[in-house]
Amino acid sequence: MLTDGREVRSSVVSSQIALHAVHGGVVPELAARAHLEGLATVVDAALAPVPGGWDAIDAIAVTRGPGLAGCLIVGTMYATTAAMARGLPIVGVSHLAGHVYSAWLADPELEPPYLALLVSGGHTECVLLREHGIAERLAATRDDAAGEAFDKVARLLGLEYPGGPAIQRVASGGDPSRFPLPRTRLDGAFSFSGLKTAVRYMVRDLGPEALTASGVPRDRQVVADLAASFQAVAVDQLVTGLVAAADRTGATTVAVVGGVAANRALREAVTARFSGLRVVVPPFDLCTDNAAMIAAAGWQRLRVHGPDAPGFDVDPSLAECA
Ligand code: KG4
Ligand code: ZN
């Protein structure tokens, strides 16, 4: 729950990580069912510290896309019902805009224009937020998202889901130069599938004696060195793409947002590379998926574009970034 779009009064996250971890990735049907089961409890918990509860609410923001259709439908049905029952305006928000606005939420001095590197499990893009409600996508991934690459490489190395934090942890004890991995440099785009495939071949080429029955390297140091080598190249590709976008737009303020922005190596590399510019990296809780960022983006969207008509459609492949 936010006041004036920027002051977080409460923020409640119901994590599904444990639910999906046993499957090694998100299972869509389980995700939608967990949303259905958890939603009312989460909303009640977010309203509990707010004097007046529902009576203090002026508008509702809900994620309209992109994402899994079942999850989006559960959320919008709940929000639409609440809005209609209470006679409140409702605004459907892009999940991508939410991530872009997590930087605006994190830094009270930040105002557009700013350039955001949005790196999550489903997305890798450079977005220029020109002004509130108006954004331009400058670069996107041609194949895997950065977070997806972390998750897939973690699986190849026998590490747990989600892969990003696991790779970061073991990479801290690894040598990033031991395994030479290829860098993919594209003009105005990102690509991570070549890097992921290169790790797959590196693992295979260790030979059968070096691998467990499930094909994972036995030697913990090999795992650490591969994780460190992968992380270094992934971070380098992201920073290179961000530098190109910054050069193209002349941006003087840069933000790194989305789940992968929690990565320490990425934070350090961006901060070092853009030392002359203003760099905003939200705290961990705002980097990973949360409703506060959706409310912040929704507050600006409501102000600029007005409310949506109840009954609007969800869009699992929504590309809008503001
Ligand atoms: O934004 P997010 O919470 O959910 C999506 O919208 O996808 O991002 C989740 C992604 C996962 O792929 C996870 O592995 C990655 O963020 N991630 C990290 C780290 N923490 C989370 N990747 C690299 N390093 C981390 N420390
Ligand atoms: Zn996300």
Side-chain angles (χ1 to χ4, degrees):
M1 193 280 203
L2 301 191
T3 300
D4 294 337
R6 218 166 189 178
E7 186 197 334
V8 182
R9 303 277 297 277
S10 65
S11 176
V12 181
V13 174
S14 168
S15 171
Q16 295 189 11
I17 286 179
L19 174 70
H20 299 295
V22 284
H23 303 282
V26 174
V27 182
E29 297 308 326
L30 292 183
R33 198 179 313 161
H35 271 66
L36 194 57
E37 286 165 2
L39 199 42
T41 314
V42 169
V43 172
D44 286 350
L47 286 172
V50 180
W54 271 112
D55 290 339
I57 303 299
D58 297 320
I60 300 177
V62 63
T63 306
R64 185 162 76 84
L68 296 170
C71 300
L72 296 169
I73 289 169
V74 169
T76 48
M77 291 299 253
Y78 188 96
T80 303
T81 308
M84 289 176 82
R86 307 222 40 118
L88 296 173
I90 183 168
V91 60
V93 178
S94 161
H95 182 75
L96 307 180
H99 278 302
V100 169
Y101 270 93
S102 68
W104 182 77
L105 202 50
D107 182 346
E109 307 288 307
L110 181 65
E111 285 300 331
Y114 63 88
L115 179 65
L117 172 67
L118 196 176
V119 270
S120 73
H123 292 273
T124 306
E125 13 228 326
C126 289
V127 177
L128 180 64
L129 185 68
R130 288 193 181 280
E131 50 187 274
H132 289 303
I134 300 176
E136 187 185 333
R137 184 201 309 247
L138 299 161
T141 179
R142 294 238 172 110
D143 37 62
D144 292 349
E148 190 182 356
F150 272 89
D151 294 338
K152 287 178 175 170
V153 167
R155 268 178 104 151
L156 294 172
L157 299 180
L159 302 171
E160 73 273 11
Y161 169 88
I167 288 198
Q168 170 169 309
R169 195 187 61 245
V170 301
S172 66
D175 172 5
S177 60
R178 174 163 173 199
F179 293 99
L181 292 164
R183 281 165 169 70
T184 311
R185 294 232 161 91
L186 300 172
D187 221 14
F190 294 99
S191 167
F192 287 93
S193 79
L195 176 58
K196 171 199 65 190
T197 308
V199 175
R200 184 188 304 280
Y201 289 148
M202 285 274 180
V203 170
R204 186 199 60 188
D205 293 346
L206 293 170
E209 302 80 49
L211 304 178
T212 65
S214 46
V216 166
R218 289 182 195 283
D219 185 339
R220 295 172 84 94
Q221 194 55 50
V222 168
V223 169
D225 293 344
L226 268 168
S229 303
F230 161 77
Q231 180 176 262
V233 174
V235 165
D236 183 58
Q237 289 189 179
L238 289 170
V239 173
T240 304
L242 183 60
V243 167
D247 287 348
R248 197 140 40 100
T249 54
T252 54
T253 305
V254 166
V256 188
V257 299
V260 183
N263 186 273
R264 205 178 315 120
L266 177 61
R267 287 169 178 248
E268 287 171 4
V270 172
T271 309
R273 185 62 185 74
F274 291 93
S275 58
L277 304 186
R278 181 148 166 232
V279 177
V280 178
V281 190
F284 182 78
D285 289 356
L286 285 175
C287 285
T288 48
D289 288 351
N290 65 87
M293 69 183 193
I294 302 299
W299 191 79
Q300 288 294 356
R301 193 178 164 80
L302 188 61
R303 209 177 55 77
V304 177
H305 299 293
D308 287 302
F312 59 83
D313 283 333
V314 302
D315 184 349
S317 49
L318 186 68
E320 219 169 71
C321 298

